[in-house]
Amino acid sequence: MKPELLILGNSQSRVVVADGFTSAYDQIRRMAADLAPFPPQLQYYPGLRRMITETDQPAHDYMQRLLLEASPYIGGAFDIDGFDWERAAFRW
């Protein structure tokens, strides 16, 4: 993985880019497919989206691990010690 901090635009917005963060593409696709069907969403960007909840154990656990791995980069970029995630989804 190669993390990079970009500072963009007039507002100097910080964006963390982590190329090569995962190589588990097949595992992620299987987790998403296991959560089907994906209901249409009207609240967010149009399309099919399946929110991940605590009852979606494999996907929820994967997101927890992913955020633990990303937290040092996010924390360093935004000068924070910790954060919680509010929601995660697979979009089809």
Side-chain angles (χ1 to χ4, degrees):
M1 173 179 38
K2 180 185 171 196
E4 181 180 4
L5 174 62
L6 304 177
I7 300 177
L8 306 172
N10 292 334
S11 63
Q12 298 292 283
S13 298
R14 293 172 178 225
V15 176
V16 177
V17 177
D19 283 339
F21 194 75
T22 186
S23 61
Y25 308 114
D26 290 335
Q27 176 190 359
I28 295 167
R29 279 192 285 271
R30 279 193 302 275
M31 277 190 289
D34 288 346
L35 295 176
F38 282 43
Q41 291 293 309
L42 303 175
Q43 304 166 355
Y44 302 103
Y45 186 82
L48 302 178
R49 184 181 306 257
R50 172 61 160 75
M51 300 306 289
I52 298 170
T53 68
E54 289 184 33
T55 60
D56 304 317
Q57 204 64 52
H60 187 271
D61 291 350
Y62 174 76
M63 287 303 302
Q64 286 284 91
R65 287 190 309 274
L66 190 69
L67 286 171
L68 281 173
E69 291 177 34
S71 63
Y73 308 110
I74 296 168
F78 297 99
D79 196 28
I80 57 175
D81 293 328
F83 58 90
D84 291 323
W85 59 294
E86 290 186 22
R87 67 181 76 112
F90 285 117
R91 196 170 63 93
W92 206 263

Coordinates of all heavy atoms in Angstrom, one line a residue:
M1 N 0.8 -1.2 0.0 CA 0.0 0.0 0.0 C 0.9 1.2 0.0 O 1.9 1.3 0.7 CB -0.9 0.0 1.2 CG -1.7 1.2 1.4 SD -2.8 1.3 2.8 CE -1.9 0.5 4.1
K2 N 0.4 2.2 -0.7 CA 1.2 3.5 -0.8 C 0.2 4.6 -0.4 O -0.5 5.2 -1.3 CB 1.7 3.7 -2.2 CG 2.5 5.0 -2.4 CD 2.9 5.1 -3.8 CE 3.5 6.5 -3.9 NZ 3.6 7.0 -5.3
P3 N 0.1 5.0 0.8 CA -0.7 6.2 1.2 C -0.1 7.5 0.8 O 1.1 7.7 0.7 CB -0.8 6.1 2.7 CG 0.4 5.3 3.1 CD 0.8 4.4 2.0
E4 N -1.0 8.4 0.4 CA -0.6 9.7 0.0 C -1.6 10.7 0.4 O -2.8 10.5 0.4 CB -0.5 9.7 -1.6 CG -0.1 11.0 -2.2 CD 0.0 10.9 -3.7 OE1 -0.4 9.9 -4.3 OE2 0.4 11.9 -4.3
L5 N -1.2 11.9 0.9 CA -2.0 12.9 1.3 C -2.0 14.0 0.3 O -1.0 14.5 -0.1 CB -1.6 13.6 2.7 CG -2.3 14.8 3.1 CD1 -3.8 14.5 3.4 CD2 -1.7 15.4 4.4
L6 N -3.2 14.3 -0.3 CA -3.4 15.4 -1.3 C -4.1 16.5 -0.6 O -5.0 16.4 0.2 CB -4.2 14.9 -2.5 CG -3.7 13.6 -3.2 CD1 -4.6 13.2 -4.3 CD2 -2.3 13.9 -3.7
I7 N -3.7 17.7 -1.0 CA -4.4 18.9 -0.5 C -4.9 19.7 -1.8 O -4.1 20.1 -2.6 CB -3.5 19.8 0.3 CG1 -3.0 19.0 1.5 CG2 -4.2 21.1 0.7 CD1 -2.0 19.7 2.4
L8 N -6.2 19.8 -1.9 CA -6.8 20.2 -3.2 C -7.6 21.4 -3.0 O -8.3 21.7 -2.0 CB -7.7 19.1 -3.7 CG -7.1 17.7 -3.8 CD1 -8.1 16.6 -4.2 CD2 -6.0 17.7 -4.9
G9 N -7.6 22.2 -4.1 CA -8.6 23.3 -4.3 C -8.2 24.6 -3.4 O -7.3 24.6 -2.7
N10 N -9.1 25.6 -3.6 CA -8.9 26.8 -2.9 C -9.1 26.6 -1.4 O -8.5 27.3 -0.6 CB -9.9 27.9 -3.4 CG -9.6 28.3 -4.8 OD1 -8.5 28.2 -5.3 ND2 -10.7 28.7 -5.5
S11 N -10.0 25.6 -1.0 CA -10.2 25.4 0.4 C -9.2 24.5 1.0 O -9.2 24.3 2.2 CB -11.6 24.8 0.6 OG -11.6 23.5 -0.1
Q12 N -8.2 24.1 0.2 CA -7.1 23.2 0.7 C -7.7 22.0 1.4 O -7.2 21.6 2.5 CB -6.2 24.0 1.6 CG -5.5 25.2 1.0 CD -4.5 24.7 -0.1 OE1 -3.4 24.3 0.3 NE2 -4.8 24.7 -1.3
S13 N -8.6 21.3 0.8 CA -9.3 20.1 1.4 C -8.3 19.0 1.3 O -7.6 18.7 0.3 CB -10.5 19.7 0.6 OG -11.5 20.7 0.6
R14 N -8.2 18.2 2.4 CA -7.3 17.1 2.5 C -8.0 15.8 2.0 O -9.1 15.5 2.4 CB -6.8 16.9 4.0 CG -6.0 18.0 4.4 CD -5.7 17.9 5.9 NE -4.8 19.0 6.3 CZ -3.7 18.9 7.0 NH1 -3.4 17.7 7.5 NH2 -3.0 19.9 7.3
V15 N -7.3 15.0 1.2 CA -7.8 13.8 0.7 C -6.7 12.7 0.9 O -5.6 13.0 0.5 CB -8.2 13.9 -0.8 CG1 -8.6 12.6 -1.3 CG2 -9.2 15.0 -1.0
V16 N -7.1 11.6 1.5 CA -6.1 10.5 1.7 C -6.4 9.5 0.6 O -7.5 9.0 0.4 CB -6.3 9.8 3.1 CG1 -5.4 8.7 3.2 CG2 -6.1 10.8 4.2
V17 N -5.3 9.2 -0.2 CA -5.4 8.2 -1.2 C -4.5 7.1 -0.8 O -3.4 7.3 -0.4 CB -4.9 8.8 -2.6 CG1 -4.9 7.7 -3.6 CG2 -5.7 10.0 -3.0
A18 N -5.1 5.8 -0.9 CA -4.3 4.7 -0.5 C -4.4 3.6 -1.6 O -5.2 2.7 -1.6 CB -4.9 4.1 0.8
D19 N -3.5 3.8 -2.6 CA -3.4 2.9 -3.7 C -3.0 1.5 -3.2 O -2.1 1.5 -2.3 CB -2.5 3.4 -4.8 CG -3.1 4.5 -5.6 OD1 -4.3 4.5 -5.7 OD2 -2.3 5.2 -6.3
G20 N -3.6 0.5 -3.7 CA -3.2 -0.9 -3.3 C -3.6 -1.2 -1.9 O -3.0 -2.1 -1.2
F21 N -4.6 -0.6 -1.4 CA -5.1 -0.8 0.0 C -5.6 -2.3 0.2 O -5.4 -2.8 1.3 CB -6.2 0.2 0.4 CG -6.4 0.2 1.9 CD1 -5.5 0.8 2.7 CD2 -7.5 -0.4 2.4 CE1 -5.7 0.9 4.1 CE2 -7.8 -0.3 3.8 CZ -6.9 0.3 4.6
T22 N -6.1 -2.9 -0.8 CA -6.6 -4.2 -0.7 C -6.4 -5.0 -2.0 O -6.3 -4.4 -3.1 CB -8.1 -4.3 -0.3 OG1 -8.5 -5.7 -0.1 CG2 -9.0 -3.7 -1.4
S23 N -6.3 -6.2 -1.9 CA -6.2 -7.1 -3.1 C -7.3 -8.2 -2.9 O -7.3 -9.1 -3.7 CB -4.8 -7.7 -3.2 OG -4.5 -8.5 -2.1
A24 N -8.2 -8.0 -2.0 CA -9.2 -9.0 -1.7 C -10.5 -8.8 -2.6 O -11.6 -8.9 -2.1 CB -9.5 -9.1 -0.2
Y25 N -10.3 -8.5 -3.8 CA -11.4 -8.2 -4.7 C -12.5 -9.3 -4.8 O -13.7 -9.0 -4.7 CB -11.0 -7.8 -6.1 CG -9.9 -6.7 -6.1 CD1 -8.6 -7.1 -6.5 CD2 -10.1 -5.5 -5.6 CE1 -7.6 -6.1 -6.5 CE2 -9.1 -4.5 -5.5 CZ -7.9 -4.8 -6.0 OH -6.9 -3.9 -6.0
D26 N -12.1 -10.5 -4.9 CA -13.0 -11.6 -5.0 C -13.8 -11.8 -3.7 O -15.0 -12.0 -3.7 CB -12.3 -12.9 -5.4 CG -11.8 -12.9 -6.8 OD1 -12.4 -12.1 -7.7 OD2 -10.9 -13.6 -7.1
Q27 N -13.1 -11.7 -2.6 CA -13.8 -11.8 -1.3 C -14.8 -10.7 -1.1 O -15.9 -10.9 -0.6 CB -12.7 -11.7 -0.2 CG -13.3 -11.7 1.2 CD -12.3 -11.4 2.3 OE1 -11.1 -11.2 2.0 NE2 -12.7 -11.4 3.5
I28 N -14.4 -9.5 -1.5 CA -15.4 -8.3 -1.3 C -16.6 -8.5 -2.2 O -17.7 -8.3 -1.8 CB -14.6 -7.0 -1.7 CG1 -13.5 -6.8 -0.6 CG2 -15.6 -5.8 -1.7 CD1 -12.5 -5.7 -1.0
R29 N -16.4 -9.0 -3.5 CA -17.5 -9.2 -4.4 C -18.4 -10.3 -3.8 O -19.6 -10.2 -3.9 CB -17.0 -9.6 -5.8 CG -16.6 -8.4 -6.6 CD -16.4 -8.9 -8.1 NE -15.1 -9.6 -8.3 CZ -14.0 -9.0 -8.5 NH1 -13.9 -7.7 -8.6 NH2 -12.9 -9.7 -8.7
R30 N -17.8 -11.4 -3.2 CA -18.7 -12.4 -2.6 C -19.5 -11.9 -1.5 O -20.6 -12.2 -1.3 CB -17.8 -13.6 -2.2 CG -17.4 -14.5 -3.3 CD -16.8 -15.9 -2.8 NE -15.7 -15.7 -2.0 CZ -14.4 -15.5 -2.5 NH1 -14.2 -15.6 -3.8 NH2 -13.4 -15.4 -1.7
M31 N -18.8 -11.1 -0.6 CA -19.6 -10.5 0.5 C -20.7 -9.7 0.1 O -21.8 -9.7 0.6 CB -18.6 -9.6 1.4 CG -17.8 -10.4 2.4 SD -17.0 -9.3 3.5 CE -15.7 -8.6 2.5
A32 N -20.5 -8.9 -1.0 CA -21.6 -8.0 -1.5 C -22.7 -8.9 -2.1 O -23.9 -8.6 -1.8 CB -21.0 -7.1 -2.6
A33 N -22.3 -9.9 -2.9 CA -23.3 -10.7 -3.5 C -24.1 -11.5 -2.5 O -25.3 -11.7 -2.6 CB -22.6 -11.7 -4.5
D34 N -23.5 -11.9 -1.4 CA -24.2 -12.6 -0.3 C -25.3 -11.7 0.4 O -26.2 -12.2 1.0 CB -23.2 -13.1 0.8 CG -22.4 -14.3 0.3 OD1 -22.8 -14.9 -0.8 OD2 -21.4 -14.6 0.9
L35 N -25.1 -10.4 0.3 CA -26.1 -9.4 0.9 C -27.3 -9.1 -0.1 O -28.1 -8.3 0.3 CB -25.4 -8.2 1.3 CG -24.4 -8.4 2.5 CD1 -23.7 -7.1 2.8 CD2 -25.0 -8.9 3.7
A36 N -27.3 -9.6 -1.3 CA -28.3 -9.3 -2.2 C -29.7 -9.8 -1.6 O -29.7 -10.7 -0.8 CB -28.0 -10.0 -3.5
P37 N -30.8 -9.1 -2.0 CA -30.9 -8.1 -3.1 C -30.6 -6.7 -2.6 O -30.6 -6.5 -1.4 CB -32.4 -8.2 -3.5 CG -33.1 -8.6 -2.2 CD -32.1 -9.5 -1.5
F38 N -30.2 -5.9 -3.5 CA -29.8 -4.5 -3.2 C -31.1 -3.7 -3.5 O -31.4 -3.5 -4.7 CB -28.7 -4.0 -4.1 CG -27.3 -4.5 -3.6 CD1 -27.1 -5.8 -3.2 CD2 -26.3 -3.6 -3.6 CE1 -25.9 -6.2 -2.8 CE2 -25.0 -4.0 -3.2 CZ -24.8 -5.3 -2.8
P39 N -31.7 -3.1 -2.5 CA -32.9 -2.3 -2.8 C -32.5 -0.9 -3.4 O -31.5 -0.4 -3.1 CB -33.5 -2.1 -1.4 CG -32.4 -2.2 -0.4 CD -31.4 -3.2 -1.1
P40 N -33.4 -0.4 -4.3 CA -33.2 0.9 -4.8 C -33.1 2.0 -3.7 O -33.8 1.9 -2.7 CB -34.4 1.2 -5.7 CG -35.0 -0.1 -5.9 CD -34.6 -1.0 -4.8
Q41 N -32.2 2.9 -3.8 CA -32.1 4.0 -2.8 C -32.5 5.3 -3.4 O -32.2 5.7 -4.5 CB -30.6 4.1 -2.4 CG -30.1 2.9 -1.6 CD -30.7 2.8 -0.3 OE1 -30.8 3.8 0.5 NE2 -31.3 1.6 0.0
L42 N -33.3 6.0 -2.6 CA -33.8 7.3 -3.0 C -33.1 8.4 -2.2 O -33.1 9.6 -2.6 CB -35.3 7.4 -2.8 CG -36.1 6.3 -3.6 CD1 -37.6 6.4 -3.2 CD2 -35.9 6.4 -5.1
Q43 N -32.5 8.1 -1.1 CA -31.8 9.1 -0.2 C -30.4 9.5 -0.7 O -30.0 10.6 -0.4 CB -31.7 8.5 1.2 CG -33.0 8.1 1.8 CD -32.7 7.3 3.0 OE1 -31.6 7.0 3.4 NE2 -33.7 6.9 3.7
Y44 N -29.8 8.6 -1.4 CA -28.4 8.8 -1.8 C -28.3 8.9 -3.3 O -29.3 9.0 -4.0 CB -27.5 7.7 -1.3 CG -27.5 7.6 0.2 CD1 -28.2 6.6 0.8 CD2 -26.9 8.5 1.1 CE1 -28.3 6.4 2.2 CE2 -26.9 8.4 2.4 CZ -27.6 7.3 3.0 OH -27.7 7.2 4.4
Y45 N -27.1 8.8 -3.8 CA -26.9 8.8 -5.2 C -27.7 7.6 -5.8 O -27.8 6.6 -5.2 CB -25.4 8.6 -5.5 CG -25.1 8.6 -7.0 CD1 -24.9 9.9 -7.6 CD2 -24.9 7.5 -7.7 CE1 -24.6 9.9 -8.9 CE2 -24.6 7.6 -9.1 CZ -24.4 8.8 -9.7 OH -24.1 8.9 -11.0
P46 N -28.4 7.9 -6.9 CA -29.3 6.8 -7.5 C -28.5 5.5 -7.7 O -27.3 5.5 -8.1 CB -29.8 7.4 -8.8 CG -29.6 8.9 -8.6 CD -28.4 9.1 -7.7
G47 N -29.2 4.5 -7.6 CA -28.6 3.2 -7.9 C -29.1 2.2 -6.9 O -30.0 2.4 -6.1
L48 N -28.4 1.0 -6.8 CA -28.7 0.0 -5.8 C -27.6 0.0 -4.7 O -26.5 0.1 -5.0 CB -28.7 -1.4 -6.5 CG -29.7 -1.5 -7.6 CD1 -29.6 -2.9 -8.3 CD2 -31.1 -1.2 -7.2
R49 N -28.1 0.1 -3.5 CA -27.2 0.2 -2.4 C -27.7 -0.7 -1.3 O -28.8 -0.7 -0.9 CB -27.1 1.6 -1.9 CG -26.1 1.9 -0.8 CD -26.1 3.3 -0.4 NE -26.0 4.2 -1.5 CZ -24.8 4.9 -1.8 NH1 -23.8 4.7 -1.1 NH2 -24.8 5.7 -2.9
R50 N -26.8 -1.4 -0.7 CA -27.1 -2.3 0.5 C -26.3 -1.8 1.6 O -25.0 -1.9 1.7 CB -26.8 -3.8 0.1 CG -26.9 -4.7 1.3 CD -28.3 -4.8 1.8 NE -28.6 -6.0 2.6 CZ -28.1 -6.2 3.8 NH1 -27.3 -5.4 4.4 NH2 -28.4 -7.4 4.4
M51 N -26.9 -1.2 2.6 CA -26.2 -0.8 3.8 C -25.8 -2.0 4.6 O -26.4 -3.0 4.7 CB -27.2 0.1 4.7 CG -27.7 1.3 4.0 SD -26.5 2.4 3.3 CE -25.7 3.1 4.7
I52 N -24.6 -1.9 5.2 CA -24.0 -2.9 6.0 C -24.4 -2.7 7.5 O -24.1 -1.6 8.0 CB -22.5 -3.0 5.8 CG1 -22.1 -3.3 4.4 CG2 -21.8 -4.0 6.8 CD1 -20.7 -3.1 4.1
T53 N -25.0 -3.7 8.1 CA -25.3 -3.5 9.5 C -24.5 -4.5 10.3 O -23.8 -5.4 9.8 CB -26.8 -3.8 9.7 OG1 -27.1 -5.2 9.4 CG2 -27.7 -2.9 8.8
E54 N -24.7 -4.4 11.7 CA -23.9 -5.4 12.5 C -24.4 -6.8 12.3 O -23.6 -7.7 12.7 CB -24.1 -4.9 14.0 CG -23.4 -3.7 14.3 CD -23.4 -3.3 15.8 OE1 -23.5 -4.2 16.7 OE2 -23.4 -2.1 16.1
T55 N -25.6 -7.0 11.8 CA -26.1 -8.4 11.6 C -25.5 -9.0 10.4 O -25.5 -10.2 10.2 CB -27.6 -8.4 11.5 OG1 -28.0 -7.6 10.4 CG2 -28.3 -7.9 12.8
D56 N -24.8 -8.2 9.5 CA -24.1 -8.7 8.3 C -22.7 -9.0 8.7 O -21.8 -8.3 8.3 CB -24.2 -7.6 7.2 CG -25.6 -7.2 6.9 OD1 -26.4 -8.1 6.7 OD2 -25.8 -6.0 6.7
Q57 N -22.5 -10.0 9.5 CA -21.3 -10.3 10.3 C -20.0 -10.3 9.4 O -19.1 -9.5 9.7 CB -21.4 -11.6 11.0 CG -20.4 -11.7 12.2 CD -20.7 -10.6 13.2 OE1 -21.8 -10.5 13.7 NE2 -19.7 -9.9 13.6
P58 N -19.9 -11.0 8.3 CA -18.6 -11.0 7.6 C -18.3 -9.6 7.0 O -17.2 -9.1 7.1 CB -18.8 -12.0 6.5 CG -19.9 -12.9 7.0 CD -20.8 -12.1 7.8
A59 N -19.3 -9.0 6.4 CA -19.1 -7.6 5.8 C -18.8 -6.6 6.9 O -17.9 -5.8 6.8 CB -20.3 -7.2 5.0
H60 N -19.5 -6.7 8.0 CA -19.3 -5.7 9.1 C -17.9 -5.9 9.7 O -17.2 -4.9 9.9 CB -20.4 -5.9 10.2 CG -20.4 -4.9 11.3 ND1 -19.6 -5.1 12.4 CD2 -21.0 -3.7 11.4 CE1 -19.8 -4.0 13.2 NE2 -20.6 -3.2 12.6
D61 N -17.5 -7.2 9.9 CA -16.2 -7.4 10.5 C -15.1 -7.0 9.5 O -14.1 -6.4 9.9 CB -16.0 -8.9 10.8 CG -16.9 -9.4 11.9 OD1 -17.4 -8.5 12.6 OD2 -17.0 -10.6 12.1
Y62 N -15.3 -7.2 8.2 CA -14.3 -6.7 7.2 C -14.2 -5.2 7.3 O -13.1 -4.7 7.2 CB -14.8 -7.1 5.8 CG -13.9 -6.6 4.7 CD1 -12.6 -7.1 4.5 CD2 -14.3 -5.5 4.0 CE1 -11.8 -6.6 3.5 CE2 -13.4 -4.9 3.0 CZ -12.2 -5.5 2.8 OH -11.3 -5.0 1.9
M63 N -15.3 -4.5 7.3 CA -15.2 -3.0 7.4 C -14.5 -2.5 8.7 O -13.7 -1.6 8.6 CB -16.6 -2.4 7.4 CG -17.3 -2.5 6.0 SD -16.3 -1.7 4.7 CE -16.2 0.0 5.3
Q64 N -14.7 -3.2 9.8 CA -14.0 -2.9 11.0 C -12.5 -3.0 10.8 O -11.7 -2.2 11.2 CB -14.5 -3.8 12.2 CG -15.8 -3.5 12.7 CD -15.8 -2.3 13.6 OE1 -16.0 -1.2 13.2 NE2 -15.6 -2.5 14.9
R65 N -12.1 -4.2 10.3 CA -10.7 -4.4 10.0 C -10.1 -3.4 9.1 O -9.0 -2.9 9.3 CB -10.4 -5.8 9.5 CG -10.6 -6.9 10.5 CD -10.1 -8.3 10.0 NE -10.6 -8.6 8.7 CZ -11.8 -9.3 8.5 NH1 -12.6 -9.6 9.6 NH2 -12.2 -9.6 7.3
L66 N -10.8 -3.1 8.0 CA -10.4 -2.1 7.0 C -10.2 -0.7 7.6 O -9.1 -0.1 7.4 CB -11.4 -2.0 5.9 CG -11.0 -1.3 4.6 CD1 -10.0 -2.0 3.9 CD2 -12.3 -1.1 3.8
L67 N -11.1 -0.3 8.5 CA -10.9 1.0 9.1 C -9.8 1.0 10.1 O -9.1 2.0 10.3 CB -12.3 1.4 9.7 CG -13.3 1.8 8.7 CD1 -14.7 2.0 9.3 CD2 -12.9 3.1 7.9
L68 N -9.6 -0.1 10.8 CA -8.5 -0.2 11.7 C -7.1 0.0 11.0 O -6.2 0.7 11.4 CB -8.5 -1.5 12.5 CG -9.4 -1.5 13.7 CD1 -9.5 -2.9 14.3 CD2 -9.1 -0.5 14.8
E69 N -7.1 -0.6 9.8 CA -5.8 -0.5 9.0 C -5.7 0.9 8.4 O -4.6 1.4 8.3 CB -5.9 -1.5 7.8 CG -5.7 -2.9 8.3 CD -5.9 -3.9 7.1 OE1 -5.4 -3.5 6.0 OE2 -6.4 -5.0 7.3
A70 N -6.8 1.6 8.1 CA -6.7 2.9 7.5 C -6.6 4.0 8.6 O -6.2 5.1 8.2 CB -8.0 3.2 6.7
S71 N -7.0 3.7 9.8 CA -7.0 4.8 10.8 C -5.7 5.5 11.0 O -5.8 6.8 11.2 CB -7.6 4.2 12.2 OG -6.7 3.2 12.7
P72 N -4.5 4.9 11.0 CA -3.3 5.7 11.2 C -3.2 6.8 10.1 O -2.7 7.9 10.3 CB -2.2 4.7 11.1 CG -2.8 3.4 11.4 CD -4.2 3.5 10.9
Y73 N -3.6 6.5 8.8 CA -3.4 7.4 7.7 C -4.5 8.5 7.8 O -4.2 9.7 7.6 CB -3.5 6.7 6.4 CG -2.6 5.6 6.3 CD1 -3.1 4.2 6.3 CD2 -1.2 5.8 6.3 CE1 -2.2 3.2 6.3 CE2 -0.3 4.7 6.2 CZ -0.8 3.4 6.2 OH 0.0 2.3 6.2
I74 N -5.7 8.1 8.2 CA -6.8 9.1 8.3 C -6.5 10.0 9.5 O -6.6 11.3 9.4 CB -8.1 8.4 8.5 CG1 -8.5 7.6 7.2 CG2 -9.2 9.4 8.8 CD1 -9.6 6.7 7.3
G75 N -6.1 9.4 10.6 CA -5.8 10.2 11.8 C -4.6 11.2 11.6 O -4.7 12.3 12.0
G76 N -3.6 10.7 10.9 CA -2.4 11.6 10.6 C -2.8 12.7 9.7 O -2.3 13.8 9.9
A77 N -3.6 12.4 8.7 CA -4.0 13.5 7.7 C -4.9 14.6 8.4 O -4.8 15.7 8.0 CB -4.7 12.8 6.6
F78 N -5.7 14.2 9.3 CA -6.6 15.1 9.9 C -6.3 15.5 11.3 O -7.2 16.1 12.0 CB -8.1 14.6 9.7 CG -8.5 14.4 8.3 CD1 -8.4 13.2 7.7 CD2 -8.9 15.5 7.5 CE1 -8.8 13.1 6.3 CE2 -9.2 15.4 6.2 CZ -9.2 14.2 5.6
D79 N -5.2 15.0 11.8 CA -4.8 15.3 13.2 C -5.8 14.9 14.2 O -6.2 15.7 15.1 CB -4.4 16.8 13.3 CG -3.5 17.0 14.6 OD1 -2.8 16.1 15.0 OD2 -3.6 18.2 15.1
I80 N -6.3 13.7 14.2 CA -7.3 13.2 15.1 C -6.7 11.9 15.7 O -5.9 11.2 15.1 CB -8.6 12.9 14.5 CG1 -8.5 12.0 13.3 CG2 -9.3 14.3 14.0 CD1 -9.9 11.6 12.6
D81 N -7.2 11.6 16.9 CA -6.8 10.4 17.6 C -7.7 9.2 17.4 O -7.3 8.0 17.6 CB -6.7 10.6 19.1 CG -5.6 11.6 19.5 OD1 -4.6 11.6 18.8 OD2 -5.8 12.4 20.5
G82 N -8.9 9.4 17.0 CA -9.8 8.3 16.7 C -11.1 8.8 16.1 O -11.4 10.0 16.0
F83 N -11.9 7.8 15.6 CA -13.2 8.1 15.0 C -14.0 6.9 15.0 O -13.5 5.8 15.2 CB -13.0 8.7 13.5 CG -12.2 7.7 12.6 CD1 -12.9 6.8 11.9 CD2 -10.9 7.8 12.5 CE1 -12.3 5.9 11.1 CE2 -10.2 6.9 11.7 CZ -10.9 6.0 10.9
D84 N -15.3 7.1 14.7 CA -16.3 6.0 14.6 C -16.8 6.0 13.2 O -17.0 7.1 12.6 CB -17.4 6.1 15.6 CG -17.0 5.9 17.0 OD1 -16.1 5.0 17.3 OD2 -17.5 6.5 17.9
W85 N -17.2 4.9 12.7 CA -17.9 4.9 11.4 C -19.4 4.8 11.6 O -19.9 4.1 12.5 CB -17.4 3.8 10.5 CG -17.5 2.4 10.9 CD1 -16.8 1.8 11.9 CD2 -18.3 1.4 10.3 NE1 -17.1 0.5 12.0 CE2 -18.0 0.2 11.0 CE3 -19.1 1.3 9.3 CZ2 -18.6 -1.0 10.7 CZ3 -19.7 0.1 8.9 CH2 -19.4 -1.0 9.7
E86 N -20.1 5.6 10.9 CA -21.6 5.7 11.0 C -22.3 4.7 10.1 O -23.3 4.2 10.5 CB -22.1 7.1 10.7 CG -21.7 8.1 11.8 CD -22.3 9.5 11.6 OE1 -23.3 9.5 10.8 OE2 -21.7 10.4 12.1
R87 N -21.8 4.6 8.9 CA -22.5 3.7 7.9 C -21.5 3.3 6.8 O -20.5 4.0 6.6 CB -23.7 4.4 7.3 CG -23.4 5.6 6.4 CD -24.7 6.1 5.9 NE -25.4 6.9 6.9 CZ -25.5 8.2 6.9 NH1 -25.1 8.9 5.8 NH2 -26.1 8.9 7.8
A88 N -21.8 2.2 6.3 CA -21.0 1.6 5.2 C -22.0 0.9 4.3 O -23.1 0.4 4.7 CB -19.9 0.7 5.6
A89 N -21.7 0.8 3.0 CA -22.6 0.2 2.1 C -21.8 -0.4 0.9 O -20.7 0.0 0.6 CB -23.6 1.2 1.6
F90 N -22.5 -1.4 0.3 CA -22.0 -1.9 -1.0 C -23.0 -1.3 -2.0 O -24.2 -1.2 -1.8 CB -22.1 -3.4 -1.1 CG -21.1 -4.1 -0.3 CD1 -21.4 -5.0 0.7 CD2 -19.7 -4.0 -0.7 CE1 -20.4 -5.7 1.4 CE2 -18.7 -4.7 0.0 CZ -19.1 -5.5 1.1
R91 N -22.4 -0.8 -3.1 CA -23.2 -0.2 -4.2 C -23.1 -1.1 -5.4 O -22.0 -1.5 -5.8 CB -22.7 1.2 -4.5 CG -23.7 2.0 -5.3 CD -23.3 3.5 -5.3 NE -22.0 3.6 -6.0 CZ -21.9 3.9 -7.2 NH1 -23.0 4.0 -8.0 NH2 -20.7 4.0 -7.8
W92 N -24.2 -1.4 -6.0 CA -24.2 -2.3 -7.2 C -24.5 -1.5 -8.4 O -25.2 -0.6 -8.5 CB -25.2 -3.4 -6.9 CG -25.0 -4.6 -7.6 CD1 -25.5 -5.0 -8.8 CD2 -24.2 -5.7 -7.2 NE1 -25.1 -6.3 -9.1 CE2 -24.2 -6.7 -8.1 CE3 -23.4 -6.0 -6.1 CZ2 -23.6 -8.0 -8.0 CZ3 -22.7 -7.1 -5.9 CH2 -22.8 -8.1 -6.9

